[in-house]
Structure formats: structure tokens, C-alpha cells
Amino acid sequence: DAKTTQPPSMDCAEGRAANLPCNHSTISGNEYVYWYRQIHSQGPQYIIHGLKNNETNEMASLIITEDRKSSTLILPHATLRDTAVYYCIVRVRGSQGNLIFGKGTKLSVKP
Amino acid sequence: DAGVIQSPRHEVTEMGQEVTLRCKPISGHNSLFWYRQTMMRGLELLIYFNNNVPIDDSGMPEDRFSAKMPNASFSTLKIQPSEPRDSAVYFCASSLGTGPDTQYFGPGTRLTVL
């Protein structure tokens, strides 16, 4: 699975959009980008995934650059409950086995 | 759906004692994963099962750790004897094992070995 690079921490004002970047310059053509988050003291939670097209669901939007070497997770209207560590993971869709969690980005949403 | 269920939520034990952690995956899921999380090492996979069969146990630290999945709705992770360095949060996750293979995590068991 391709390696990812994320900033260690970010701040965001409540009600504003939170844009979390991820670099995955060695991504292969059959690898998807997945985002999970972990709120303090809880298990990781799936957010969204995508291949090359932008994706949106009820939680977030995922923007993947045309060369697929980077992506951005967007939380359109961040709330205090979105304070968490966000993990960007790249892996082959449908591949069996574990998720490799890096250090992620600690997002702090402030009132 | 109740999601992945883990028990106990908290466990405090003394060094040398046996510890058993339990997990009930989401009904219909074919893959089950045990992860451990510590401040130093982050989230790391211990073992995963597919259709109740252990597929990859390379993350199991040593022989003191063992995991079983006797049926599709139950798994255990046992540590015997436990040591203080085993103190961590242990997560169980399950997935369909096909398609996007999204993993759904339980709330975790916080283990403290004194």
C-alpha cells in the first residue's frame, strides 16, 4: 500500500469548512484513497473513499487531484464534534487485510 | 444494527494474570480484525480472520497472545500471562470482506496491567 503524508495538526473555526490534505505521490492505479477518523476514546470511523473522481456523502467530500498524487477531505461545516484524528489511507479496493494507520492529522475545531 | 460489540470495555489486572477480550462482529461480515493502540506505536494490526480462519497473525507480539474465532459471531483475544507492556486499547473491527471492504470498529477495550 502506498505511503501517505499528512500534517500533524490543524485548527478550524466552528461552522467553517475544514480542509484536510493528504499526499500519496506513489499511489498506484488500482489503489483507492480512504479516510477514517478517530474521536477521542472511540474506535476509528469510516468517512469516505474514492478512486479518481470527487466523492461526497453525508459526512464529507473528497477531492482527488487529476494526477491522484494528493487529496483533500472537506468537512463543509465543522462542528466541535468533528474534533478528532483524521487518517488518510491508500490501499487496493477490495484487498483483504488490515488498514495501515499512520499518525494522521489532529483536527481541533474551536468555537 | 448494534455494530461491533466488545467486552469488557475496561479491564484492570495484575501482571501474570490471564486476560480474555471478546468481540462480536456485525452480522453478515466475513472478516474480523484485532488491532492494538498505544501512544508509542499507534494503531497496529494483531491478527485478522476471514470466514473464521486466521489469515495473518504476523502482528501478534509473542506466544503470550492467542486469538480464536470459533464461529462467525464471536472472537476472543487472550493474553496469558499478561505484562504491564500489554497495557493498551484493543479494538476489534469487522468487514464484509468484499467490495470497498470498509472496516467497522468496536468501542475498544482499555486494558491496564499493573
Side-chain angles (χ1 to χ4, degrees), chain A residues 1-6 21-36 48-52 62 64 67-72 87-102, chain B residues 100 103:
Chain A
D1 294 337
K3 182 178 178 180
T4 62
T5 304
Q6 299 177 252
C22 179
N23 286 319
H24 31 79
S25 58
T26 60
I27 191 170
S28 300
N30 63 345
E31 289 183 311
Y32 283 63
V33 180
Y34 291 79
W35 283 84
Y36 282 73
I48 198 168
H49 75 279
L51 180 62
K52 56 182 179 180
L62 175 60
I64 303 174
D67 63 7
R68 302 207 326 119
K69 293 186 177 181
S70 66
S71 60
T72 301
Y87 298 97
C88 171
I89 299 167
V90 174
R91 70 195 297 253
V92 177
R93 184 177 189 269
S95 64
Q96 297 298 302
N98 61 303
L99 297 168
I100 299 175
F101 290 85
Chain B
Q103 294 185 18

Side-chain angles (χ1 to χ4, degrees), chain B:
Chain B
D1 196 324
V4 176
I5 299 172
Q6 291 187 247
S7 64
R9 293 293 310 277
H10 301 273
E11 177 80 31
V12 179
T13 190
E14 293 187 345
M15 183 174 62
Q17 297 297 307
E18 177 180 295
V19 175
T20 299
L21 311 182
R22 297 173 176 79
C23 175
K24 177 179 170 56
I26 293 173
S27 177
H29 281 191
N30 296 323
S31 293
L32 182 140
F33 307 79
W34 283 101
Y35 291 85
R36 178 173 66 177
Q37 185 172 36
T38 61
M39 288 293 291
M40 291 294 293
R41 300 174 67 90
L43 266 164
E44 53 183 352
L45 179 76
L46 299 176
I47 186 171
Y48 90 90
F49 296 83
N50 186 253
N51 292 321
N52 312 337
V53 176
I55 302 300
D56 182 359
D57 65 354
S58 59
M60 295 287 264
E62 48 199 271
D63 292 346
R64 297 186 298 107
F65 285 69
S66 62
K68 294 182 179 180
M69 191 164 187
N71 57 61
S73 59
F74 184 67
S75 177
T76 60
L77 178 67
K78 184 178 294 186
I79 308 172
Q80 166 64 18
S82 59
E83 297 181 2
R85 60 189 167 129
D86 301 330
S87 297
V89 181
Y90 291 80
F91 290 104
C92 176
S94 70
S95 72
L96 281 171
T98 61
D101 203 31
T102 300
Q103 294 185 18
Y104 297 87
F105 286 74
T109 295
R110 181 173 296 276
L111 173 65
T112 302
V113 183
L114 302 174

Side-chain angles (χ1 to χ4, degrees), chain A residues 3-92:
Chain A
K3 182 178 178 180
T4 62
T5 304
Q6 299 177 252
S9 64
M10 293 182 64
D11 289 341
C12 177
E14 187 178 20
R16 304 296 293 269
N19 297 284
L20 294 95
C22 179
N23 286 319
H24 31 79
S25 58
T26 60
I27 191 170
S28 300
N30 63 345
E31 289 183 311
Y32 283 63
V33 180
Y34 291 79
W35 283 84
Y36 282 73
R37 74 179 181 182
Q38 187 173 23
I39 297 171
H40 182 62
S41 299
Q42 298 182 21
Q45 176 190 24
Y46 166 80
I47 301 173
I48 198 168
H49 75 279
L51 180 62
K52 56 182 179 180
N53 297 320
N54 298 338
E55 301 288 343
T56 297
N57 63 21
E58 65 279 4
M59 291 183 67
S61 294
L62 175 60
I63 309 298
I64 303 174
T65 58
E66 190 169 347
D67 63 7
R68 302 207 326 119
K69 293 186 177 181
S70 66
S71 60
T72 301
L73 178 74
I74 301 172
L75 307 178
H77 305 287
T79 70
L80 299 178
R81 289 175 295 179
D82 292 322
T83 293
V85 178
Y86 288 76
Y87 298 97
C88 171
I89 299 167
V90 174
R91 70 195 297 253
V92 177

